[in-house]
């Protein structure tokens, strides 16, 4: 079994009716629902408001792949827990960072850059598969039309990806490295841009398939996770 923890701030869904209407069970609930259809996936959820944000040492010790969505509470997130996530990724835990998680503390720690970008609401997106042989692109069409999505645009201050699997083209002409892979220590990371909280992006079957494929790609199958607690963590 692949043990998955789906983490979500769960702030917008509780405070904004427009978001609650799209994701009545929270973004984490939506993602858990489609992941749970896979026979070899064991899925739990956690949110910002849980003790230690629901990401205790015990939880991360028993997580093969962490899926992470954040936005409004980036600065309020615990520095200690952000470092904890980094350490677990370096020791082999897989990480899928969704949409505005690009600016999360833990991803900035892992990438070592500002992770800044351009953005604009209410655009449509053509998500083009630019690395069709990559495992995350398995059974994914050449182009996915997303009727409404928040635009993210270049320049995107990230280190050079291992591979850019998907490139987004937006209706206002901007392009973006929308699906990129990285390796940090023993851990595989996939950053995936689509998924603004007011857009029903996570109900699109092809988007769901990409996330399922990314779980299998990031799963640390056969990797011994053994970073000592007191070892200095670098880059």
């Amino acid at each position: 079994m692949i043990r998955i923890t789906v983490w979500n701030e769960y702030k917008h869904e509780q405070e904004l009716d427009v978001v609650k209407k799209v994701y009545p069970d929270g973004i984490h609930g939506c993602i858990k629902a489609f992941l749970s259809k896979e026979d070899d996936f064991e899925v739990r959820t956690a949110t910002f408001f849980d003790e230690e944000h629901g990401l205790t040492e015990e939880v991360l010790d028993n997580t093969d792949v962490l899926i992470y969505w954040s936005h409004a509470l980036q600065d309020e997130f615990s520095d200690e827990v952000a470092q904890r996530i980094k350490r677990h990724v370096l020791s082999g835990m897989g990480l899928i960072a969704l949409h505005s998680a690009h600016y999360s503390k833990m991803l900035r720690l892992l990438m070592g850059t500002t992770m800044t970008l351009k953005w604009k609401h209410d655009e449509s997106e053509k998500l083009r598969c630019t690395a069709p042989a990559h495992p995350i692109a398995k059974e994914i069409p050449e182009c996915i039309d997303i009727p409404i999505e928040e635009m993210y645009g270049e320049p995107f201050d990230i280190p050079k990806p291992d591979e850019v699997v998907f490139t987004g083209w937006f209706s206002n002409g901007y392009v973006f490295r929308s699906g990129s892979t990285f390796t940090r220590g023993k851990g595989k990371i996939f950053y995936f841009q689509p998924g603004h909280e007011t857009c029903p992006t996570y109900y699109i079957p092809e988007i769901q398939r990409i996330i399922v494929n990314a779980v299998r790609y990031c799963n640390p199958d056969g990797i011994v996770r053994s970073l000592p607690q007191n070892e200095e963590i670098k880059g």
Side-chain angles (χ1 to χ4, degrees), residues 43-98:
V43 189
R44 77 169 91 195
T45 62
T47 74
F48 178 92
F49 301 99
D50 297 332
E51 185 175 0
E52 297 184 56
H53 304 317
L55 299 174
T56 63
E57 288 285 1
E58 181 180 3
V59 167
L60 295 180
D61 279 340
N62 290 283
T63 297
D64 297 314
V65 180
L66 173 64
I67 300 175
Y68 190 104
W69 193 103
S70 61
H71 181 212
L73 299 173
Q74 314 275 35
D75 291 339
E76 287 81 359
F77 193 88
S78 163
D79 291 339
E80 180 182 354
V81 178
Q83 289 283 359
R84 182 183 301 160
I85 295 169
K86 176 180 178 179
R87 177 167 50 78
H88 278 270
V89 171
L90 294 177
S91 69
M93 183 182 74
L95 173 65
I96 300 171
L98 298 175

Side-chain angles (χ1 to χ4, degrees), residues 161-190:
D162 293 342
E163 193 147 19
V164 178
V165 187
F166 301 100
T167 300
W169 180 88
F170 294 87
S171 49
N172 64 351
Y174 275 87
V175 295
F176 190 72
R177 288 168 286 176
S178 294
S180 298
T181 63
F182 305 86
T183 304
R184 290 294 181 272
K186 298 179 181 179
K188 294 180 181 178
I189 301 169
F190 179 56

Side-chain angles (χ1 to χ4, degrees), residues 78-222:
S78 163
D79 291 339
E80 180 182 354
V81 178
Q83 289 283 359
R84 182 183 301 160
I85 295 169
K86 176 180 178 179
R87 177 167 50 78
H88 278 270
V89 171
L90 294 177
S91 69
M93 183 182 74
L95 173 65
I96 300 171
L98 298 175
H99 194 58
S100 43
H102 73 92
Y103 204 64
S104 61
K105 286 182 178 179
M106 59 92 191
L107 200 59
R108 281 184 284 164
L109 284 169
L110 285 159
M111 296 293 105
T113 58
T114 67
M115 304 299 288
T116 53
L117 45 74
K118 295 184 181 296
W119 62 272
K120 183 179 181 296
H121 290 306
D122 300 330
E123 299 290 336
S124 62
E125 179 180 3
K126 289 186 179 294
L127 186 70
R128 296 195 174 274
C129 181
T130 46
H134 195 280
I136 297 178
K138 183 179 180 181
E139 300 178 357
I140 301 301
E142 181 179 332
C143 182
I144 301 168
D145 287 309
I146 303 177
I148 186 167
E149 183 54 80
E150 182 179 31
M151 182 216 87
Y152 280 4
E154 301 287 345
F156 184 23
D157 185 22
I158 55 174
K160 183 178 179 181
D162 293 342
E163 193 147 19
V164 178
V165 187
F166 301 100
T167 300
W169 180 88
F170 294 87
S171 49
N172 64 351
Y174 275 87
V175 295
F176 190 72
R177 288 168 286 176
S178 294
S180 298
T181 63
F182 305 86
T183 304
R184 290 294 181 272
K186 298 179 181 179
K188 294 180 181 178
I189 301 169
F190 179 56
Y191 170 73
F192 192 46
Q193 164 267 320
H196 187 59
E197 66 269 12
T198 61
C199 305
T201 304
Y202 294 124
Y203 295 104
I204 298 173
E206 293 86 355
I207 298 298
Q208 295 181 357
R209 175 50 53 186
I210 288 170
I211 294 173
V212 168
N213 289 349
V215 168
R216 299 192 190 284
Y217 171 75
C218 292
N219 176 38
D221 187 29

Side-chain angles (χ1 to χ4, degrees), residues 8-24:
N8 175 31
E9 279 184 356
Y10 197 40
K11 176 178 171 65
H12 296 311
E13 300 94 317
Q14 297 186 80
E15 297 180 353
L16 302 174
D17 288 341
V18 65
V19 181
K20 189 183 303 182
K21 183 177 179 180
V22 178
Y23 294 108

